[in-house]
Amino acid sequence: MTSKLTISKIKTILKQKPSPEFIKKLTNDQRKGAQAQLKSYLRRLDKIEKRKVLFEERFSFEKEYWNEGFSYVAGIDEAGRGPLAGPVVAAAVILPHNFDLLEVNDSKQLSAAKREYLYGKILEKALAVGVGFADNKLIDEINIYQATRSAMKEAVAALTIRPQQLIIDAMQIETEIPQLKLIKADARSVSVAAASIIAKVSRDHLMSYYDTLYPAYDFKDNKGYGTAKHLGALAAYGVTPIHRKTFEPIKSKFAEEA
């Protein structure tokens, strides 16, 4: 009988995957506190089930390829196309068929703390992870679009397992590997979402390092984007070796200082 348990004890048990028998007994516990804990538990369970359904939907592209015999499917995404400074970073991730991190989603929908946590988990569970970089000099030389493609190609080449199929967020690259160009892929494919997290966190770590070299520009917080503090530092100190000279307003306002 759960009526002999304190509400606090019931709450603790409900956090530890209770048995069906316990839930059945709790249903018959007439105490308001017990019923409140049961309702809270059932709501959490419902949320988890809905997340599982959405997660499985985001695995639909991978599953289709797996069913066709393509065991190694790599999701590819990038981070850093828009900033005024730093590289664009791409990642390629091949996930196992039993990958079950329900929280893996488009990196833009996650907090920085959650991305950091999932970054470690993805590295731990993925079959292979590759990262590619295109620095500001290459970006200025061949433009951001082509530099992004170059970083993505480098990320695929860095994989320790050769993928049989690529899923790429809204782009195509030069490769003999079959590829699917998928709009908003980071929200539609778990593999691409995983790649978006790896790319974003990898770039954030790099920008935090650059912050130690050029502290006035606040790269740790703005990641190279044109915030007021960043633009103020540009006006006061000029461009750094990691700034993109072909990007506005650097091209117009600070070109003579480059």
Side-chain angles (χ1 to χ4, degrees):
M1 294 292 291
T2 61
S3 58
K4 295 182 179 180
L5 300 174
T6 64
I7 301 302
S8 178
K9 180 63 176 178
I10 289 173
K11 184 177 182 179
T12 299
I13 294 173
L14 290 176
K15 289 181 178 179
Q16 301 172 346
K17 295 184 179 180
S19 66
E21 291 77 12
F22 180 83
I23 297 301
K24 185 177 180 180
K25 290 177 181 178
L26 186 58
T27 302
N28 296 321
D29 191 327
Q30 299 304 309
R31 290 177 296 170
K32 288 183 179 180
Q35 289 303 305
Q37 289 301 319
L38 177 60
K39 287 179 181 179
S40 177
Y41 167 76
L42 293 176
R43 282 196 299 269
R44 290 200 306 272
L45 213 59
D46 184 57
K47 275 187 177 181
I48 292 171
E49 288 305 313
K50 287 178 179 177
R51 285 169 60 193
K52 285 181 179 179
V53 170
L54 292 173
F55 180 82
E56 290 301 317
E57 288 178 1
R58 297 199 302 276
F59 242 154
S60 61
F61 292 99
E62 288 85 349
K63 287 181 177 179
E64 185 174 338
Y65 288 124
W66 294 341
N67 290 336
E68 292 174 1
F70 298 96
S71 296
Y72 302 120
V73 178
I76 304 170
D77 201 5
E78 52 72 30
R81 291 181 68 174
L84 305 180
V88 62
V89 178
V93 177
I94 301 176
L95 296 176
H97 296 196
N98 63 349
F99 186 76
D100 60 357
L101 281 175
L102 303 183
E103 296 165 299
V104 170
N105 204 341
D106 174 9
S107 64
K108 295 184 291 295
Q109 299 183 28
L110 304 171
S111 68
K114 182 62 70 176
R115 285 195 298 265
E116 283 284 351
Y117 167 77
L118 291 173
Y119 172 83
K121 288 295 183 182
I122 292 166
L123 291 179
E124 176 186 319
K125 293 176 178 291
L127 297 178
V129 173
V131 178
F133 301 84
D135 67 14
N136 56 301
K137 292 182 175 61
L138 184 62
I139 292 168
D140 286 339
E141 179 182 343
I142 64 176
N143 75 49
I144 186 60
Y145 182 82
Q146 295 301 333
T148 300
R149 294 179 70 219
S150 175
M152 287 180 167
K153 185 176 179 181
E154 184 178 294
V156 173
L159 290 167
T160 54
I161 297 174
R162 179 177 171 82
Q164 298 161 300
Q165 175 68 45
L166 308 178
I167 303 175
I168 308 179
D169 186 23
M171 298 189 79
Q172 288 186 311
I173 63 175
E174 292 182 14
T175 180
E176 296 178 354
I177 303 170
Q179 56 188 303
L180 172 65
K181 176 182 177 181
L182 189 62
I183 304 301
K184 295 184 178 179
D186 46 7
R188 299 171 64 190
S189 159
V190 175
S191 296
V192 178
S196 77
I197 293 168
I198 295 295
K200 171 63 174 168
V201 176
S202 296
R203 188 177 189 279
D204 286 354
H205 289 172
L206 187 56
M207 294 310 294
S208 293
Y209 166 71
Y210 284 135
D211 186 76
T212 66
L213 301 180
Y214 313 107
Y217 297 82
D218 195 33
F219 289 142
K220 183 177 181 180
D221 291 327
N222 62 46
K223 313 306 180 192
Y225 283 90
T227 61
K229 189 171 182 179
H230 185 178
L231 295 176
L234 275 170
Y237 308 108
V239 298
T240 70
I242 68 165
H243 275 101
R244 303 174 183 180
K245 298 175 185 178
T246 55
F247 276 42
E248 295 292 359
I250 295 171
K251 183 178 179 180
S252 298
K253 295 184 178 181
F254 308 108
E256 67 278 3
E257 302 170 12

